[in-house]
Amino acid sequence: MAPPPRSVARLLTTAIVMLAVSPAFTATPNTATAPNGKLIWQALPDLPDPIGVAGPFVGVHNDALIVAGGANFPVAPGEDLWTATKVWHDDAWVLTRDADDTYTWHSGFKLDKPVAYGACVSTPRGVVCIGGNTGDTTYADVFLLTWDPATKQIAQTPLPPLPQPCANMAATLIGSTVYVAGGHTGPTLASAAHLFYRLDLSTLDDPAGSRQWDALPPWPGPERAFNLVVAQHNGFDDCVYVIGGRRQTPGVEGDAGIIAMADVYEFDPKRYDASAFDAATGAYAGVGTFAEPWRRRADAPKPTMAGTGAAIGQSHIFVLSGADGEIIKRMLADPDLVQHHPGFPKRAWAYHTITDTWIDAGPIPSNQVTTPVTRWADALIVAAGEVRPRVRTAQVWRITPRVVDRSFGTLNFAVLGVYLLATVGVGVYFMRKNRSTDDFFRGGKQVAWWAAGCSIYATMLSSITYMAIPAKAFAQDWVYLMGNMMIIAVAPIAVYLALPFFRRIDATSAYEYLEQRFNRPVRLFASAMFTLFHVFRMAIVMSLAGLALATVTPMTAWQCVLIMGVLSMLYSTLGGVEAVIWTDTIQTFVLLGGALLCFALMVLGTDGGFGSFVDTALREGKLHTFNLHLDPSSANLALWVVIVGALGQNISSYTSDQAVVQRYMTTPTEKRAAASIWMAAILTVPSTLLFFALGTGLFTFYHSHPDKLDPTFMTDQIFPLFIADEVPVGVAGLIVAGIFAAAQSTISTSMNSTATALVTDFLRPFNVCRSERSYLNVARTATLAFGVVGTLLGLLFVSPHIKSLFDQFLKIIGLFMGVLGGLFALGILTRRCNGPGALVGVVCGAAVMFGLPFVSKINGFLYATIGIATCFVIGYVVSFALPARRHDLTGLTVHTLAPADTGDVNRGQREPESVGGN
């Protein structure tokens, strides 16, 4: 649409001013930080339009900021702003930055028509621009803006249009899907509607894709326009948040009828069943997990209209601008106030999606409404907009969260340093006792049963449990609780089924059993799978602990990973398994003592004490333990998924994980080894309750004190955040040392057990070394080498984009250890399975497990159980088809175990394999 004829003079005036600005305007940014706020605002070069525009499309593509369209009130010389005519623009500008942090504006680009007040989102494809209006004409058009840095040109490509015209709505992006909510379909606010659409951009490349917008069930609240729409993680899933906006009172025109809104709604795409929605009637009939994709959340402290909001960190939403309606009320009483408008309130607000709380995020230097916010690299960008009625601005801001400088303190450093040096001292002490590989790998079979039990417990605990489980319970609930309790159910299997076989063959490596039961290739394949698993396990544990320690010390996560890796290499290489076991034992008491103290501080710090702790936990569903549905792919784990998945994980760990089985072989007798397993299992019960209670305590504490949450922290760092800010000096150092020690416990165990597997399974059978001393030297070298590899991978795994390292850890357990559990089940439970069948079963099982994440949405918690079942079924069936050499199975299966054989060495005569047996 062409501008009205009477605005030509104003346009000419604007054009003359703009000609004074070169097509490529270069400048460096200035910083304008509002004091005491949670954000840092940095001024970038102003938009080339000196008046500025409101309602532009703003986004980032190919590392360039695009600002296009918009509307303003050009004022001719001698003319009053309040008599000027509003003009819509088709201009577009691009801001680029150089390596030296110099910013350059490029202008002279045009859209296919003047347009403003639409919605937009930045995507890897370009900036998706949606709807908008020109004068009284509202559009359904959608197009893509892209920037070519080589040609320095903008391209505009049409996309599928909205089902109906819409303006003054907002949009966000989850994955490849664009969501649009709110807006009005006509020229005025009276046409505000319940509009909620989505477009999956990935379908645009698929000839069979829908290539159209899908209507979704709207939020369970009034219609609105000028609202915020933000995507953020809520602890379970990435969700869409609809915040505030305004609507018109029916029958009341003008400002008197404007209703400013502060309500907030959350839409979870994973709880939405498209087949249950009737777009024609708007009726939604989802059931079970999909019963209600929307839920009402806490209202914002103030109404927010025409503002900007963005996700910061993993669970915060910041409202960076907006009108709260207070001036409108004052203008109704004093109409002259409109020409003396003081501007919109310069204050930011922050919402935390997990605790469902709002805080005052402090003052801001500018409140620019009717403009979107976009992300450019690690910062948010607010460009142009409206600062008062009819008054635009050309200001462009770069916004980043303020990083709080936390001092760890000399005393805390001293405690941490002494503790870590002591662990190295343990390695030096036991170095003198290692005269053979039996000493290095099995402690000479003289380790106390209770120390071996603590070591099994600490090995399975690690920093994954100490930090990730409280973080998971903080963000979600207690659904994972029953999974940990399954260790009690698996302990009898380990004691009465697996342990006797390992003790009878006097195994140093668990995989020696597989060679005796099947053949050497099966043993080598299993040992290699175990080694890969533990290398990755080391990396995940170090990365998680590194991220935690970086929050409470001046060191970076990478530096923490390096220190952990080096110290673990030192005492593991020097002291062998006995050093590992005794440091594990010390660490068990430090970890549990620190956890108890922290829980007490959390409850005492919750407003209202223990009573409020219980009330808040119950009211917010934080003690919820069971999900009674059948969906195996839901992020909200069903009870059967937790039980079945945890049984698979623990069966695999307690029967086929060299790191655990190795502890069975360090005690003098089988009876004492069984006692160590029971001790580890029994310790799990109170400690599991304690760690989940820690998560709930964190939730109730930060629900009472949301201002103490730090948006720069990942969710997995919530427990270290509490330790850094709330635990007394000195004690905090000891607890941080405990976190460090928990990681080192797992790392050192993995280093020692992988070295054990290498020497025992890959070198000894082939007589690679000529003397026991040579094997011992190789064992120490292998320990060091695996430590180096695990540490390097840990540096790569340090990523703030991982929502939950606990979830990633469970998937890796399933991918590697589930198949090994199935292999041991084949050996122990059947007589019919032979070596070739077992090898085919484990190879096929591994292939299935590695491909499963790409072809199925099934929850990763089930991976271990699926791995066991896949390997078992394929191996057993294939054994009927593949011939194998018959050999003696006496003492190698439950069917051929001699009842009188209760010692720790092989006794009695073996019976031949039964062709028609189990």
Side-chain angles (χ1 to χ4, degrees):
M1 175 182 289
R6 68 179 189 153
S7 67
V8 172
R10 302 183 186 90
L11 285 174
L12 289 173
T13 302
T14 302
I16 292 170
V17 176
M18 291 184 65
L19 285 173
V21 182
S22 67
F25 174 68
T26 302
T28 54
N30 296 312
T31 300
T33 304
N36 305 319
K38 289 187 174 288
L39 302 170
I40 296 175
W41 292 61
Q42 182 184 42
L44 298 183
D46 285 356
L47 195 71
D49 186 324
I51 301 177
V53 293
F57 296 114
V58 182
V60 171
H61 183 239
N62 282 335
D63 198 31
L65 177 70
I66 301 173
V67 180
N72 58 19
F73 292 87
V75 179
E79 185 179 17
D80 184 77
L81 173 65
W82 297 97
T83 62
T85 301
K86 190 173 188 177
V87 176
W88 278 256
H89 296 278
D90 59 0
D91 298 297
W93 305 272
V94 176
L95 181 65
T96 59
R97 60 179 176 181
D98 301 326
D100 60 354
D101 207 25
T102 298
Y103 290 81
T104 303
W105 278 109
H106 306 267
S107 42
F109 310 110
K110 294 288 184 180
L111 301 178
D112 62 3
K113 62 176 175 290
V115 63
Y117 305 111
C120 54
V121 291
S122 298
T123 76
R125 296 167 178 261
V127 182
V128 178
C129 304
I130 309 159
N133 62 26
T134 305
D136 291 339
T137 302
T138 304
Y139 303 111
D141 300 343
V142 180
F143 57 87
L144 188 72
L145 285 179
T146 57
W147 168 251
D148 187 338
T151 63
K152 292 184 169 50
Q153 292 296 317
I154 283 179
Q156 182 176 343
T157 307
L159 294 176
L162 290 171
Q164 59 183 311
C166 191
N168 287 309
M169 66 294 205
T172 193
L173 183 75
I174 296 180
S176 63
T177 302
V178 178
Y179 292 85
V180 175
H184 53 78
T185 58
T188 66
L189 183 60
S191 62
H194 257 116
L195 302 181
F196 190 37
Y197 300 119
R198 72 177 176 187
L199 174 66
D200 186 351
L201 298 177
S202 64
T203 64
L204 302 179
D205 300 324
D206 183 1
S210 65
R211 296 173 175 265
Q212 64 181 9
W213 291 83
D214 297 322
L216 301 174
W219 56 96
E223 71 283 352
R224 68 200 61 215
F226 298 96
N227 52 284
L228 279 64
V229 176
V230 184
Q232 181 56 291
H233 202 268
N234 71 347
F236 290 92
D237 304 307
D238 287 322
C239 296
V240 176
Y241 290 85
V242 176
I243 303 172
R246 70 189 186 195
R247 61 191 176 95
Q248 195 78 24
T249 303
V252 182
E253 297 181 356
D255 290 348
I258 291 178
I259 300 175
M261 309 174 78
D263 49 346
V264 179
Y265 301 90
E266 174 193 271
F267 176 81
D268 187 343
K270 291 188 177 178
R271 290 179 175 267
Y272 169 63
D273 180 4
S275 65
F277 179 57
D278 185 344
T281 64
Y284 181 75
V287 296
T289 304
F290 307 102
E292 184 50 70
W294 284 100
R295 64 173 175 168
R296 177 79 179 264
R297 309 305 286 152
D299 288 359
K302 294 278 189 179
T304 301
M305 304 182 295
T308 58
I312 292 182
Q314 288 189 340
S315 51
H316 275 89
I317 294 174
F318 275 72
V319 176
L320 306 172
S321 66
D324 60 10
E326 291 298 321
I327 301 298
I328 294 178
K329 296 177 184 178
R330 291 169 55 189
M331 287 192 301
L332 291 174
D334 181 9
D336 292 336
L337 183 61
V338 68
Q339 298 191 32
H340 307 284
H341 195 290
F344 305 111
K346 294 181 180 180
R347 186 157 294 276
W349 303 93
Y351 172 71
H352 189 245
T353 59
I354 294 173
T355 57
D356 190 30
T357 51
W358 286 88
I359 64 165
D360 182 341
I364 56 179
S366 180
N367 187 336
Q368 297 166 210
V369 304
T370 59
T371 187
V373 60
T374 191
R375 184 171 297 280
W376 193 359
D378 59 348
L380 300 173
I381 303 294
V382 172
E386 181 177 347
V387 291
R388 289 189 298 277
R390 289 181 167 247
V391 179
R392 299 339 190 209
T393 180
Q395 284 188 305
V396 180
W397 295 97
R398 180 180 184 272
I399 305 166
T400 54
R402 184 190 301 276
V403 178
V404 178
D405 183 18
R406 290 179 170 85
S407 175
F408 192 52
T410 303
L411 182 57
N412 283 332
F413 265 121
V415 172
L416 176 61
V418 169
Y419 189 93
L420 296 179
L421 287 175
T423 62
V424 177
V426 172
V428 173
Y429 174 79
F430 284 104
M431 179 176 65
R432 60 184 176 81
K433 300 181 65 176
N434 293 321
R435 295 182 175 84
S436 67
T437 54
D438 187 66
D439 294 331
F440 192 80
F441 293 143
R442 303 197 300 184
K445 296 181 71 173
Q446 296 300 316
V447 175
W449 66 269
W450 55 272
C454 286
S455 183
I456 294 172
Y457 168 78
T459 297
M460 301 303 293
L461 171 70
S462 80
S463 58
I464 297 292
T465 304
Y466 200 64
M467 290 179 294
I469 285 185
K472 180 65 76 174
F474 163 77
Q476 298 183 1
D477 45 36
W478 286 34
V479 164
Y480 285 88
L481 176 75
M482 292 304 297
N484 276 31
M485 293 301 182
M486 287 301 103
I487 295 177
I488 296 295
V490 170
I493 298 174
V495 170
Y496 299 112
L497 201 58
L499 177 63
F501 294 99
F502 296 123
R503 296 292 302 202
R504 279 165 176 73
I505 65 173
D506 197 28
T508 298
S509 162
Y511 313 109
E512 293 178 59
Y513 166 79
L514 295 177
E515 180 171 357
Q516 293 193 28
R517 174 62 181 85
F518 297 119
N519 54 39
R520 183 166 292 174
V522 173
R523 172 186 181 180
L524 297 179
F525 187 88
S527 186
M529 286 277 291
F530 159 81
T531 301
L532 280 174
F533 163 66
H534 270 272
V535 168
F536 278 101
R537 189 185 194 215
M538 276 192 282
I540 286 185
V541 169
M542 277 192 276
S543 63
L544 179 56
L547 288 167
L549 291 167
T551 64
V552 294
T553 69
M555 296 180 289
T556 66
W558 288 269
Q559 290 171 332
C560 293
V561 167
L562 282 172
I563 292 172
M564 274 185 291
V566 170
L567 289 178
S568 297
M569 283 183 257
L570 278 175
Y571 77 79
S572 298
T573 302
L574 293 174
V577 73
E578 202 164 2
V580 173
I581 287 175
W582 284 107
T583 53
D584 285 352
T585 303
I586 297 169
Q587 288 156 6
T588 297
F589 291 101
V590 172
L591 290 174
L592 294 180
L596 281 169
L597 173 62
C598 286
F599 178 68
L601 292 174
M602 291 169 192
V603 173
L604 292 173
T606 299
D607 291 345
F610 185 75
S612 179
F613 163 81
V614 175
D615 290 344
T616 302
L618 290 173
R619 183 179 67 252
E620 301 294 333
K622 304 309 290 185
L623 301 182
H624 173 70
T625 309
F626 308 121
N627 289 321
L628 302 178
H629 62 80
L630 299 178
D631 184 4
S633 62
S634 174
N636 301 303
L637 268 67
L639 176 61
W640 74 268
V641 171
V642 174
I643 292 175
V644 172
L647 283 173
Q649 292 164 19
N650 287 298
I651 287 173
S652 296
S653 295
Y654 279 81
T655 63
S656 61
D657 188 340
Q658 168 66 16
V660 177
V661 172
Q662 190 171 350
R663 270 53 178 179
Y664 302 168
M665 307 306 298
T666 60
T667 60
T669 66
E670 181 178 328
K671 183 178 180 180
R672 294 185 182 181
S676 70
I677 296 173
W678 282 115
M679 181 174 183
I682 292 170
L683 273 175
T684 299
V685 175
S687 63
T688 294
L689 293 171
L690 174 60
F691 292 130
F692 277 89
L694 279 175
T696 305
L698 287 166
F699 178 86
T700 61
F701 177 84
Y702 286 112
H703 189 273
S704 296
H705 309 285
D707 55 303
K708 294 188 176 185
L709 287 163
D710 190 329
T712 64
F713 273 51
M714 296 167 57
T715 302
D716 276 325
Q717 297 171 322
I718 189 67
F719 189 23
L721 172 66
F722 179 87
I723 294 170
D725 291 348
E726 311 300 332
V727 175
V729 175
V731 178
L734 185 60
I735 297 175
V736 169
I739 296 175
F740 212 116
Q744 285 183 285
S745 167
T746 304
I747 298 163
S748 59
T749 293
S750 295
M751 290 178 187
N752 186 269
S753 58
T754 49
T756 303
L758 176 68
V759 172
T760 307
D761 296 324
F762 290 92
L763 302 184
R764 274 194 187 279
F766 301 99
N767 298 316
V768 173
C769 298
R770 296 185 178 181
S771 67
E772 185 63 25
R773 173 60 61 181
S774 297
Y775 280 117
L776 180 60
N777 291 335
V778 170
R780 286 199 165 105
T781 303
T783 302
L784 181 65
F786 282 121
V788 170
V789 173
T791 302
L792 292 176
L793 281 175
L795 294 173
L796 293 176
F797 275 28
V798 176
S799 170
H801 302 295
I802 299 177
K803 292 294 192 299
S804 172
L805 282 165
F806 183 67
D807 291 339
Q808 305 306 314
F809 178 66
L810 293 178
K811 289 181 180 179
I812 288 178
I813 287 179
L815 290 176
F816 288 96
M817 296 306 297
V819 175
L820 292 184
L823 192 57
F824 276 85
L826 277 171
I828 293 172
L829 299 179
T830 74
R831 285 184 293 186
R832 187 64 185 86
C833 186
N834 55 38
L839 188 59
V840 171
V842 72
V843 171
C844 291
V848 169
M849 294 312 300
F850 280 105
L852 188 63
F854 300 100
V855 300
S856 172
K857 294 182 179 180
I858 197 166
N859 197 289
F861 207 84
L862 287 171
Y863 282 4
T865 304
I866 294 172
I868 292 174
T870 303
C871 177
F872 189 93
V873 171
I874 294 176
Y876 191 75
V877 172
V878 170
S879 293
F880 282 91
L882 295 179
R885 178 179 59 85
R886 294 167 61 89
H887 68 281
D888 189 359
L889 297 181
T890 301
L892 295 177
T893 76
V894 293
H895 309 286
T896 59
L897 193 63
D901 190 6
T902 57
D904 281 11
V905 295
N906 296 320
R907 294 195 185 101
Q909 300 295 316
R910 294 191 176 177
E911 65 178 44
E913 179 179 359
S914 173
V915 176
N918 296 328

